[in-house]
Amino acid sequence: MNRKDFLKSGILAIGGFYFLQSGLLQAVQPKPSVKDVEAPIIIIGSGYGGAVTALRLCQKGKKVLMLEMGMNWGKSGLPYSSLLKPEKSAAWLRKKTIAPFFNIFSIKPFTGVLDRLDFEHINIWLGRGVGGGSLVNGGMAVTPKESYFREVFPNLDADKFYNIYFPRARQELKVNVIREEFLKDCPYYKFTRVGEEEAHKAGFKTMRVPNVYDFSYMEREYKHEVPRSALNNEVIYGNNHGKYSLDKTYLQKALETGNLEIFDLHAVDTIKLNSDATYTLQVREIDTLGKTVSDKAFHCKKLILAAGTMGTLQLLLRSNAENNFPIHENVGKNWGNNGNFMTGRNWVNPLHGGTGVEQSTIPVGGVDNWDDPEHPFFTEIAPLPMGMDVATALYLQINKVNKKGLVSYKNGKLDLDWNETHTQKMKENADFFVKKMNKANGGTRAHLLFKDGFGANICYHPLGGCVLGEATNGFGKLKNHDNLYVLDGSLIPGTIGVNPFVTITAIAEYCIENLIKMNEFA
C-alpha cells in the first residue's frame, strides 16, 4: 500500500499521547451579563495549574473567578465526538479536522476542544474548554525520573516533591494502573503487547504507564456493561466516559466549596496594570461560533495566569506590546517542546495479525531508554485506531531538549524561534530506535505516516517561557509585579522527560501552598 492509498483508506487515527452529533444545533448563546466585573482573585485558564490553584484557594475560603475561553462541555449537554466521527468537539472553529494526520473530514466551525497553533517548523496542539488540556490528552500520568527532575530544577527540594507533591498530585488526579491480566487478554491492547514484545527483542526496557482513565470502567465497557469511550475511539476530541479529566477532579471539588465561579466562552485579550497595582482585563464573551457577544472589563487585585504555556506567553507578550505591560526580560526564554518527536514503523507483525484491528485510545506502555548516555529517551507505545489492521506501530518519543527556543511577539502574533537544529538530536534518537527495532523484528520506517518517517514538527507538550526562579520568583510570582502569579506549564524550562501534566500539577501544588503560607492572598 503506497502513502496515497494508505491515507485514503485510513479513517482518522492518532496516537494516545494527545494530549489530541448528527444534525447542526444552533449556537449556544451566553447569558447576558454586565460589562464590568469586579473580583478579588481571577484565574485565567482552567487547566492543571489553574484547577489546582482554584481548589486550594477556595478551600481557604477565598472567592475565585475563573475565565476560560472554551466551553463548559459538562454543562452544555453536547457529547464529545469520536475519532472516527468527528463533529462538534473535534476542532476549535475550523472547517476541517486538525489531528496530526489523516485530516480527511470536513466539519462545521464550532468551539471544539482541540486547537492547533501553526508555526513555520512546529505545530502545537492545545485543549480548549473547562478542564483545558486534560480534555484532549491521552491521560498518561507519568512522574519524571528523579535524577532528571533534579537536573531540570536544581533549586527545588526533590525529596519533598517525591514524598509530598507528586503523591498528592497523583491522588487528586485519580491516577491508576491497568490490571496486567486484563491487558494480557484484551484484544484492544494487542498493539501494546506487540510493541512491548518487539522492544524486548530489540534489547529495550519497557515500563507500565499509569493513567487517569478509570481502568475499572474500561473493563466494564469491554464487557458492554457501560457505555464505551476509550473503546469507542474517544480521546483527543474528549472522552464521554471513563476519564478523570479536571472537571471531574480538582475543578469539581473547587466548585463544591461554593467559592468558585467559572465564566466559560470568555477570551482574555490583554491585561493592563493599574496605578494601584490592580489589574484590568479586556475580555471578549463569545458564542459557540466564535463571534463576540460582548466586550467586557474584569478588574481584580490578584491575578493568576494559568492559560497554558502558549496562552500565558501570548497574554504577557501581547499586553507588553499593546499596553506597555511590564514583563521581566526572561519572559519568552527557555521554551521547549518537551522533546516531542513522532515516528513509527510499517509492516509490524504482519504474519500474526499486525497490531490489531481494534485499539484502545488509552496508552499504557512505554519504552524506557532514559539511562542510555548516548540516546536517552522515553517512548510511548501509542495506539493507531484506524478501524482496520495496517500493521503499523506509532510512537511518541520524549527526549531531552538540548537547544531551547525563544517566544516573542511580532507583527501582532506570537513568534517562535524554533527550527530543525532544535530537534536534530531528537531525530537521531528516533532513527536509532527505529533502526534497532526493525533490525530485531523486521519492518520499515513509517513513510506512510510522516515525511521520511519522522514527525519533528508535532508538539503536544509546550513548556517554558516563564520559568520558575527565572521569570518568576521561587513560587511563581512574576518578577516586577506584586499581585500577578504564573502557575502552569510555562514554569518548566522546556523539558521534563515524560508527559508533563503530573509535574505541572505537583509544581502548582507546591507554589500555591507556599504562596498561601506567605499570606499572598490575605
Side-chain angles (χ1 to χ4, degrees):
M1 188 184 301
N2 60 33
R3 177 180 172 85
K4 182 177 180 182
D5 292 338
F6 186 84
L7 294 177
K8 285 184 177 180
S9 63
I11 306 178
L12 178 66
I14 183 59
F17 39 85
Y18 332 114
F19 14 163
L20 277 166
Q21 306 301 78
S22 348
L24 178 62
L25 299 177
Q26 291 185 347
V28 179
Q29 298 292 334
K31 296 178 181 179
S33 55
V34 296
K35 294 183 182 297
D36 277 270
V37 181
E38 298 278 350
I41 303 171
I42 290 179
I43 300 175
I44 302 177
S46 61
Y48 293 100
V52 170
T53 305
L55 174 59
R56 300 312 176 197
L57 288 173
C58 289
Q59 288 177 329
K60 291 295 182 180
K62 306 299 180 182
K63 294 293 184 180
V64 176
L65 189 153
M66 177 176 280
L67 298 175
E68 167 58 51
M69 70 183 294
M71 282 179 54
N72 189 330
W73 283 85
K75 286 188 174 182
S76 72
L78 296 174
Y80 296 114
S81 54
S82 76
L83 294 173
L84 303 184
K85 193 179 180 182
E87 296 181 350
K88 286 187 177 295
S89 71
W92 178 262
L93 301 174
R94 304 291 182 110
K95 294 182 178 179
K96 198 171 184 179
T97 55
I98 53 171
F101 32 73
F102 302 139
N103 288 305
I104 60 177
F105 296 101
S106 295
I107 53 177
K108 299 287 186 180
F110 197 80
T111 48
V113 296
L114 187 67
D115 199 2
R116 188 184 71 201
L117 304 181
D118 297 333
F119 298 93
E120 183 177 0
H121 297 286
I122 191 170
N123 300 321
I124 302 172
W125 279 263
L126 310 168
R128 303 283 188 215
V130 174
S134 75
L135 301 177
V136 299
N137 64 26
M140 296 184 73
V142 196
T143 302
K145 296 271 189 179
E146 184 173 346
S147 58
Y148 195 54
F149 181 86
R150 291 178 182 275
E151 180 181 334
V152 172
F153 289 110
N155 296 323
L156 294 182
D157 186 338
D159 290 338
K160 280 190 175 181
F161 269 84
Y162 283 83
N163 292 322
I164 299 173
Y165 300 110
F166 281 125
R168 182 183 299 171
R170 290 192 294 264
Q171 180 179 0
E172 294 285 2
L173 294 167
K174 298 184 182 295
V175 174
N176 66 140
V177 181
I178 194 169
R179 282 196 314 117
E180 290 299 316
E181 294 82 358
F182 178 66
L183 174 62
K184 179 181 177 182
D185 297 331
C186 182
Y188 286 81
Y189 278 108
K190 181 177 182 180
F191 77 93
T192 299
R193 296 192 296 271
V194 170
E196 291 179 344
E197 290 167 4
E198 293 198 340
H200 295 158
K201 190 175 179 180
F204 290 112
K205 180 175 64 174
T206 62
M207 61 177 288
R208 185 65 55 239
V209 179
N211 206 286
V212 294
Y213 197 92
D214 183 352
F215 287 111
S216 64
Y217 185 92
M218 185 185 291
E219 292 196 32
R220 294 168 63 204
E221 61 180 305
Y222 176 60
K223 298 175 183 177
H224 293 282
E225 295 176 352
V226 292
R228 289 190 165 187
S229 185
L231 305 188
N232 189 40
N233 300 295
E234 295 174 359
V235 64
I236 61 169
Y237 305 149
N239 281 93
N240 287 302
H241 314 282
K243 186 181 181 185
Y244 291 120
S245 47
L246 288 169
D247 52 318
K248 300 174 183 177
T249 56
Y250 275 98
L251 290 174
Q252 180 177 316
K253 289 179 70 173
L255 288 167
E256 288 171 353
T257 68
N259 292 324
L260 175 64
E261 186 174 11
I262 301 176
F263 284 49
D264 67 335
L265 294 174
H266 279 65
V268 182
D269 288 330
T270 58
I271 310 167
K272 179 184 177 183
L273 176 63
N274 302 315
S275 58
D276 60 353
T278 63
Y279 297 94
T280 296
L281 315 178
Q282 296 302 317
V283 180
R284 287 177 298 111
E285 184 178 9
I286 62 175
D287 64 20
T288 54
L289 299 179
K291 296 180 180 179
T292 299
V293 174
S294 64
D295 293 303
K296 299 181 179 181
F298 283 74
H299 311 278
C300 64
K301 174 66 174 177
K302 300 288 185 178
L303 178 60
I304 298 155
L305 297 185
T309 295
M310 304 313 293
T312 289
L313 290 175
Q314 175 158 306
L315 280 171
L316 290 175
L317 293 167
R318 178 196 283 170
S319 298
N320 174 256
E322 297 182 7
N323 291 344
N324 200 29
F325 188 80
I327 59 174
H328 191 266
E329 62 181 4
N330 285 330
V331 171
K333 295 180 179 179
N334 266 333
W335 185 93
N337 70 341
N338 195 31
N340 289 179
F341 198 98
M342 292 209 67
T343 188
R345 297 166 51 238
N346 297 132
W347 322 124
V348 174
N349 196 37
L351 300 179
H352 301 282
T355 52
V357 175
E358 298 175 315
Q359 298 188 17
S360 170
T361 55
I362 298 301
V364 296
V367 176
D368 180 5
N369 203 57
W370 200 255
D371 294 329
D372 183 337
E374 187 174 356
H375 298 288
F377 58 79
F378 165 78
T379 295
E380 172 193 334
I381 300 172
L384 191 62
M386 297 180 65
M388 58 188 295
D389 178 40
V390 292
T392 298
L394 178 67
Y395 307 103
L396 172 64
Q397 197 171 78
I398 299 178
N399 305 269
K400 294 184 177 182
V401 180
N402 299 316
K403 182 180 180 181
K404 305 290 179 60
L406 174 68
V407 182
S408 57
Y409 194 78
K410 297 179 182 178
N411 301 319
K413 61 181 182 180
L414 285 183
D415 184 76
L416 179 54
D417 179 9
W418 185 266
N419 55 49
E420 294 92 341
T421 65
H422 294 84
T423 57
Q424 181 58 40
K425 179 58 179 176
M426 304 173 201
K427 183 177 180 180
E428 293 172 6
N429 284 349
D431 187 52
F432 164 79
F433 172 68
V434 169
K435 283 181 177 177
K436 193 170 181 179
M437 290 287 283
N438 287 341
K439 183 177 180 180
N441 301 285
T444 63
R445 203 162 64 216
H447 295 273
L448 298 175
L449 292 176
F450 310 103
K451 181 180 178 182
D452 297 326
F454 295 124
N457 64 327
I458 294 174
C459 175
Y460 300 97
H461 306 150
L463 298 172
C466 282
V467 173
L468 190 69
E470 295 179 10
T472 74
N473 73 357
F475 305 114
K477 178 188 276 193
L478 192 67
K479 292 180 178 179
N480 301 334
H481 287 265
D482 294 325
N483 298 303
L484 193 154
Y485 312 86
V486 176
L487 292 170
D488 58 20
S490 64
L491 294 174
I492 301 173
T495 173
I496 199 60
V498 292
N499 306 60
F501 74 78
V502 172
T503 303
I504 296 170
T505 303
I507 288 176
E509 288 278 17
Y510 163 77
C511 287
I512 193 61
E513 178 181 89
N514 282 280
L515 290 170
I516 290 172
K517 286 181 178 178
M518 295 163 62
N519 293 317
E520 287 287 332
F521 299 94

